[in-house]
Amino acid sequence: MALADLTKCCINSIRQISEHIEDATLYIDSGCTESFQFIGAFPVLLELGVRAVCSLENMCALDGAADWNTNFDPPRKIVVMTSRLLSDAHRYIMQCLRTHHSVRHCAIFTSISEIAHSAYPDSPLGPDAFGEYKSLLLQDYEELLKMSNTKSRQSEANNFLEKLTFEDDGWSRLTSSGENIPNFEASSVGNDLYEDNPVGLMEDVGQKLVVSVHHFPMILCPFSSRVFVLPSEGSIAEACLSNEHEDSLSPGLPPISTRSFSDGDDVPLGATLTANFLYHLAAKMDLKLEIFSFGDLSKTVGKILTDMSSLYDVGRRKRTAGLLLIDRTFDLLTPCCHGDSLVDRIFLSLPRRKRTTSYNHTKGSQSQVKLGPPRIQRLPINVHIPIANILSIEDSEREDSLILLNVEAFLRGWDAYNHSCQVVDLVDLGNKVHTEKSLYSEIQLFNGSFVSTENFRGTPFMETLLDRRTKDGAVLVKKWLQETVRQENLNVNVRTRPGSATKLELQLMTKALAQNQSTFLRNKGIIQLGAAALVALEESQSAKWDAFISAEKMLHVSAGDTSQSLTAQIGDLINKSLVGSQGKKNGKHESSQGLLSFKDALLLMVIGYVLAGENFPTSGSGGPFSWQEEHFLKEAIVDAFLENPSAAKLKFLHGLTEELEANLSRMKSEDTKEAFSDQLDIDDFDDDQWGKWGDEDVDNDDKKDQAYNDMQLKLELRDRVDNLFKFFHKVSGLKNWNMQLREDPLDSEINFSGDSYTSKGLLYKLLRNVLSKSDVPGLEYHSSTVGRLFKSGFGRFGLGQAKPSLADQNVILIFVIGGINGLEVREAMEALSESGRPDLELIIGGTTLLTPDDMFDLLLGESAHI
């Protein structure tokens, strides 16, 4: 039987809509862009006859001139593909229809199903969401046409568009600036042709627009044929996974499991969207799911999936597969720590593409936040691999000048029909090329992304690296580069040592392959991988990663000793981080500890408290440490914020950071004045000082007021720090929330002994136990036949029928609600290899790809509940 392949399934789904996208201008939103780059979909789209692929959020009239197939007729058909709710994409769809007057067919594909649309809070769409949206779109389009019939009502049409949905970040660069940016809508060839041929324009306007709305669930980011995450800028990944309450850590993570079941209004939107996505993913892969869950939110998702399967899967014959849903909050250590994974290093080291736009706000003078569930602003999965950095500066500058010349020629040709339109000042445009918001820099952000199908003689790059440790992965990249250089008959003067990979070796071979355009195009996959490995293994990146590993090991050792030892270790890390921050300000790096900032120390505190909760009984203070030990840590944190309030941008300090910074500046100013005063000659006292004695009382009053204000500031800061430690108590209590896991085989050495087992993440331990058919308390089975819930290891729901086991399945799909990282993917593959089941197909997915920086943002940063 054919192996499950996520990438092929995505490509096949695109081919199935070929009749819709043929000869169409295709608009994709930022989430689809993430997905299509990983899938490698753009060559397929060209093969299927797409005229052009354009950004939905950043569309303009120039899109009509772009055509891969050299068809100069104005676009008659557009296709919009979005990873968002239709209500989110509505404004952009309307802008497309308004800009391209000649369009007569508009097909819309969304990754969100009709059921999920109707379940969205305050949604105007019901169970027939697609049909209802089609009617609403046509109504708005007809209204827009009426307003656009006369030039005097153009402003009214613009206002109509602004009122449709959400913030128009995508349009502001074209319409809001008063600089020398051409108004392409007003001066486009299409508009000029319409003015020359008003009969044709009237014929176009008189024709009816044909709209169709479809579901396209296969918008995902596959790192390989068996590992995937969801697009960060899609509605599913942005949806709230936990409503704010005492058991919640972050809207981007499932709540702490309390063995309770959420239903109705208490179900987070993310649970509903995730369940709908997994159901349709299984349907596309022809899989019938036997559903197992581990965690409260996973249980809720499993219940929704079971209900959907009971309604829609009757009589359908499919291949059976096991689905294991896991709450991320059962294991926070793995994504917080810096593990031995080259893939994790690459994604943490490389810059990410900036978010294209925000859908959280409505446009208006005050930009008020739209009512509705909060959305998690995750970083896009697409990285920016700096290929240009391995080339010479002269080559890059020469390429910039050629791009400017081509842009100038294109714009002059574009405006040839309109002699009254001013041609863009190319000198000014040239000055903007190197700015952050320039056209060229925006294009660069879409270059150098990973593609899951890139391979070396049939061996997929990303899939192979996911199974490797850092050193083994780097050596493998070097081997691929060596073989490619040999295949291209290139001469690279570098001495290599077997069993290791140096920066010089990778740099020289990558640069040799990138120098020639033909070899670059033939080998761009390994060139990008070589450049990415260079950044990840760069000295400063490696030094900081190693410093984290060292600190995390010390925390693990201290946690195995006493609570006093762990407290002292955490306090030492805080103090060293402050010394390191001061050293960086002075341009010094005295030791490896100086590489870690105060923000890094706070992340290490989270790790320390999780370890403390696993190793020490809860004290009377509600945390794992005694009152004296925790007081010591609190004082260290308070002093750290007073000395460097901007060291970490924390949500729980909002409204106080400015006051702390002003207080620090004032204290520094006073210290400077006192130092200057001490240097004055004592003989100056002979001058006429008598008139100043009366001012001493005023000065004393000012000092008293200032002392009072300082005390109030410190009290407010201590209150905020107390709230921070209440959060730490939550984190340390994760084990206590799941009492049945205390005697769990996952934490014992009855079945699997040795340090290598105990140091593994939850995913590895779960798989080892499941595949060996060991009992796992807390693992629950959702019956796909009678809709009842079984609890593994308890048997109080015995109905006289055999209960399926995950180990009996030939295909297992694991989905971690909240996200995964590269380390636990490698560990899961190790568990599969150790199980002796070569016939078993394992697919691993998650809400997003998590790095330690992402975990900091979710737990303590802007996305936290604290």
Side-chain angles (χ1 to χ4, degrees):
M1 190 167 290
L3 298 176
D5 189 321
L6 290 166
T7 307
K8 287 183 179 179
C9 190
C10 293
I11 294 295
N12 290 338
S13 295
I14 294 176
R15 293 187 181 278
Q16 290 170 7
I17 63 171
S18 58
E19 63 180 37
H20 291 281
I21 63 179
E22 183 181 5
D23 197 33
T25 299
L26 176 62
Y27 282 95
I28 58 176
D29 68 0
S30 49
C32 289
T33 302
E34 287 183 83
S35 173
F36 284 8
Q37 286 181 328
F38 275 98
I39 294 170
F42 296 108
V44 178
L45 295 172
L46 175 60
E47 174 192 335
L48 296 177
V50 172
R51 287 179 55 137
V53 180
C54 309
S55 169
L56 178 63
E57 294 93 347
N58 295 289
M59 62 80 55
C60 69
L62 285 175
D63 297 337
D67 194 338
W68 288 355
N69 297 313
T70 63
N71 184 351
F72 297 105
D73 295 332
R76 296 279 176 175
K77 182 167 70 170
I78 64 171
V79 173
V80 175
M81 300 188 74
T82 177
S83 58
R84 296 188 173 277
L85 295 158
L86 292 170
S87 55
D88 287 341
H90 182 56
R91 172 179 173 77
Y92 301 110
I93 295 171
M94 288 296 299
Q95 186 75 6
C96 287
L97 294 175
R98 180 200 180 195
T99 302
H100 302 298
H101 306 282
S102 58
V103 169
R104 290 295 149 254
H105 297 273
C106 175
I108 301 166
F109 292 86
T110 173
S111 63
I112 312 299
S113 68
E114 284 190 292
I115 297 175
H117 270 91
S118 62
Y120 189 80
D122 302 323
S123 172
L125 304 177
D128 184 25
F130 292 168
E132 294 171 13
Y133 177 73
K134 173 183 174 181
S135 300
L136 291 173
L137 177 64
L138 287 172
Q139 290 176 16
D140 284 345
Y141 179 67
E142 291 173 2
E143 183 70 20
L144 188 63
L145 281 180
K146 294 176 183 177
M147 294 180 180
S148 302
N149 280 339
T150 60
K151 291 185 178 181
S152 61
R153 303 190 69 186
Q154 286 293 325
S155 60
E156 189 177 345
N158 291 334
N159 293 333
F160 175 75
L161 278 175
E162 291 174 359
K163 294 177 182 178
L164 287 177
T165 50
F166 305 110
E167 184 180 13
D168 62 338
D169 287 354
W171 328 117
S172 58
R173 281 175 292 185
L174 291 178
T175 59
S176 63
S177 177
E179 300 177 5
N180 294 330
I181 299 176
N183 186 342
F184 293 125
E185 276 189 51
S187 60
S188 66
V189 174
N191 286 346
D192 293 332
L193 291 177
Y194 289 140
E195 291 176 5
D196 294 338
N197 185 11
V199 177
L201 174 62
M202 293 303 296
E203 290 176 355
D204 282 339
V205 173
Q207 296 178 13
K208 290 290 185 181
L209 177 67
V210 179
V211 175
S212 59
V213 185
H214 313 270
H215 184 210
F216 189 86
M218 298 304 292
I219 302 296
L220 50 89
C221 299
F223 296 115
S224 70
S225 61
R226 52 185 177 168
V227 179
F228 74 96
V229 296
L230 302 174
S232 294
E233 295 194 76
S235 289
I236 305 176
E238 287 185 352
C240 181
L241 295 175
S242 175
N243 300 322
E244 189 167 3
H245 52 75
E246 62 178 358
D247 300 327
S248 176
L249 298 175
S250 166
L253 293 170
I256 298 171
S257 290
T258 58
R259 300 286 183 239
S260 61
F261 181 72
S262 298
D263 201 359
D265 295 337
D266 293 333
V267 176
L269 177 62
T272 303
L273 295 182
T274 300
N276 276 267
F277 164 77
L278 290 173
Y279 172 81
H280 290 285
L281 172 65
K284 279 291 183 179
M285 301 180 74
D286 289 326
L287 299 175
K288 180 183 178 181
L289 299 177
E290 296 289 352
I291 304 166
F292 298 79
S293 62
F294 195 66
D296 287 355
L297 189 64
S298 293
K299 179 180 176 181
T300 301
V301 173
K303 172 65 167 58
I304 298 172
L305 271 168
T306 303
D307 293 343
M308 293 181 68
S309 299
S310 301
L311 288 173
Y312 306 118
D313 283 352
V314 178
R316 301 178 66 179
R317 300 183 61 184
K318 296 181 179 181
R319 187 182 180 192
T320 303
L323 170 64
L324 175 58
L325 300 165
I326 304 173
D327 281 7
R328 175 75 274 171
T329 42
F330 272 100
D331 178 17
L332 295 180
L333 276 181
T334 302
C336 282
C337 291
H338 295 67
D340 192 3
S341 167
L342 180 60
V343 171
D344 284 342
R345 288 198 183 212
I346 286 175
F347 276 91
L348 184 64
S349 304
L350 289 174
R352 304 284 187 93
R353 177 176 60 80
K354 292 182 179 179
R355 291 183 62 87
T356 302
T357 186
S358 171
Y359 291 79
N360 268 348
H361 303 85
T362 56
K363 182 176 180 179
S365 58
Q366 298 179 351
S367 293
Q368 296 177 342
V369 178
K370 181 184 180 294
L371 296 178
R375 302 185 184 186
I376 300 94
Q377 302 294 299
R378 303 185 190 273
L379 281 176
I381 303 298
N382 291 122
V383 293
H384 178 206
I385 303 175
I387 300 176
N389 291 358
I390 65 173
L391 302 175
S392 64
I393 298 176
E394 292 80 7
D395 291 340
S396 299
E397 290 177 348
R398 190 180 305 116
E399 184 180 355
D400 288 351
S401 62
L402 290 175
I403 289 177
L404 282 178
L405 291 175
N406 292 334
V407 170
E408 179 180 7
F410 175 74
L411 290 176
R412 291 184 183 278
W414 179 260
D415 286 320
Y417 287 94
N418 189 352
H419 300 288
S420 63
C421 177
Q422 290 185 342
V423 178
V424 178
D425 184 359
L426 267 299
V427 176
D428 182 59
L429 182 60
N431 294 331
K432 293 181 181 179
V433 164
H434 298 285
T435 64
E436 183 179 359
K437 295 184 178 180
S438 68
L439 174 65
Y440 183 54
S441 63
E442 289 289 336
I443 294 174
Q444 273 193 319
L445 293 177
F446 290 90
N447 293 337
S449 296
F450 291 117
V451 179
S452 63
T453 54
E454 294 283 2
N455 63 86
F456 179 78
R457 298 176 182 173
T459 303
F461 292 135
M462 290 298 293
E463 183 167 332
T464 308
L465 288 182
L466 280 167
D467 293 342
R468 298 293 195 278
R469 298 177 183 271
T470 302
K471 182 180 178 181
D472 296 338
V475 171
L476 188 57
V477 172
K478 186 184 83 168
K479 179 182 177 181
W480 286 333
L481 284 168
Q482 287 176 316
E483 293 296 325
T484 307
V485 167
R486 187 178 298 113
Q487 180 179 315
E488 294 289 346
N489 295 320
L490 299 175
N491 186 18
V492 180
N493 186 18
V494 58
R495 297 181 61 181
T496 62
R497 293 182 300 172
S500 64
T502 65
K503 178 182 177 181
L504 181 62
E505 292 171 346
L506 298 178
Q507 186 175 26
L508 290 177
M509 288 188 288
T510 305
K511 186 173 182 178
L513 290 170
Q515 288 291 343
N516 183 275
Q517 186 175 14
S518 59
T519 58
F520 180 89
L521 292 175
R522 283 196 300 269
N523 305 291
K524 62 181 179 66
I526 184 59
I527 291 172
Q528 291 180 165
L529 195 57
L534 275 171
V535 175
L537 300 176
E538 197 267 331
E539 184 177 354
S540 63
Q541 297 284 356
S542 294
K544 183 168 183 177
W545 190 280
D546 293 341
F548 262 115
I549 292 177
S550 176
E552 289 159 6
K553 284 183 178 178
M554 288 189 291
L555 289 174
H556 276 83
V557 171
S558 299
D561 190 5
T562 63
S563 62
Q564 292 89 345
S565 176
L566 183 56
T567 307
Q569 187 63 57
I570 295 174
D572 186 51
L573 288 171
I574 295 173
N575 293 331
K576 286 180 178 178
S577 70
L578 292 175
V579 173
S581 299
Q582 295 298 326
K584 289 177 184 178
K585 287 184 177 180
N586 299 327
K588 299 178 181 179
H589 294 279
E590 298 179 359
S591 65
S592 61
Q593 287 90 350
L595 294 170
L596 300 181
S597 66
F598 178 53
K599 172 185 173 182
D600 300 329
L602 288 175
L603 180 62
L604 289 169
M605 278 195 74
V606 173
I607 296 172
Y609 264 82
V610 172
L611 292 171
E614 293 179 354
N615 289 276
F616 310 130
T618 302
S619 68
S621 63
F625 302 120
S626 67
W627 181 90
Q628 293 84 357
E629 293 166 345
E630 194 154 274
H631 179 73
F632 164 74
L633 293 178
K634 287 183 179 180
E635 289 301 310
I637 293 292
V638 169
D639 291 342
F641 281 128
L642 289 173
E643 293 179 20
N644 195 359
S646 60
K649 299 295 184 182
L650 301 174
K651 187 177 180 179
F652 81 96
L653 283 180
H654 279 188
L656 198 63
T657 305
E658 295 78 7
E659 294 182 41
L660 290 171
E661 290 176 344
N663 179 69
L664 181 63
S665 299
R666 180 187 57 79
M667 293 179 65
K668 288 182 178 179
S669 176
E670 289 179 356
D671 291 342
T672 303
K673 289 180 180 179
E674 289 180 5
F676 178 75
S677 177
D678 292 340
Q679 295 175 2
L680 293 177
D681 188 4
I682 192 65
D683 294 335
D684 288 345
F685 185 77
D686 294 336
D687 294 338
D688 186 9
Q689 302 292 327
W690 301 102
K692 297 183 179 180
W693 283 13
D695 297 333
E696 289 183 359
D697 293 338
V698 177
D699 293 339
N700 290 334
D701 290 341
D702 291 341
K703 289 180 180 180
K704 289 180 181 179
D705 291 341
Q706 190 59 55
Y708 177 79
N709 292 335
D710 291 346
M711 182 61 68
Q712 289 293 106
L713 183 61
K714 288 183 179 181
L715 289 174
E716 176 65 22
L717 178 58
R718 291 181 190 278
D719 288 341
R720 304 284 184 99
V721 171
D722 285 341
N723 289 331
L724 174 64
F725 275 78
K726 289 179 182 178
F727 167 80
F728 287 147
H729 292 171
K730 274 190 190 180
V731 171
S732 67
L734 285 174
K735 276 292 196 181
N736 299 330
W737 287 101
N738 306 282
M739 294 299 294
Q740 294 183 9
L741 287 180
R742 281 190 169 276
E743 303 301 327
D744 189 348
L746 299 180
D747 292 327
S748 70
E749 298 183 7
I750 298 175
N751 298 325
F752 313 107
S753 60
D755 293 337
S756 61
Y757 175 78
T758 56
S759 63
K760 299 289 187 181
L762 177 67
L763 202 53
Y764 172 90
K765 295 177 182 179
L766 268 177
L767 269 177
R768 284 294 300 268
N769 282 270
V770 164
L771 295 180
S772 65
K773 296 190 176 181
S774 299
D775 192 26
V776 181
L779 181 66
E780 305 196 9
Y781 169 65
H782 302 256
S783 173
S784 58
T785 54
V786 295
R788 291 185 172 91
L789 187 67
F790 291 86
K791 291 193 174 182
S792 177
F794 291 95
R796 58 186 181 185
F797 292 106
L799 297 179
Q801 67 180 57
K803 180 173 55 177
S805 167
L806 268 174
D808 297 331
Q809 308 298 327
N810 291 325
V811 180
I812 295 180
L813 168 59
I814 298 176
F815 191 86
V816 183
I817 303 176
I820 57 175
N821 72 353
L823 174 63
E824 57 190 352
V825 170
R826 176 174 64 77
E827 290 181 348
M829 297 305 175
E830 286 180 12
L832 177 61
S833 177
E834 294 167 1
S835 70
R837 289 283 307 274
D839 60 315
L840 178 61
E841 298 177 49
L842 181 63
I843 302 172
I844 302 174
T847 306
T848 187
L849 181 72
L850 291 172
T851 67
D853 285 352
D854 296 324
M855 290 301 296
F856 179 89
D857 181 68
L858 289 172
L859 296 173
L860 297 171
E862 293 298 323
S863 298
H865 272 327
I866 183 173

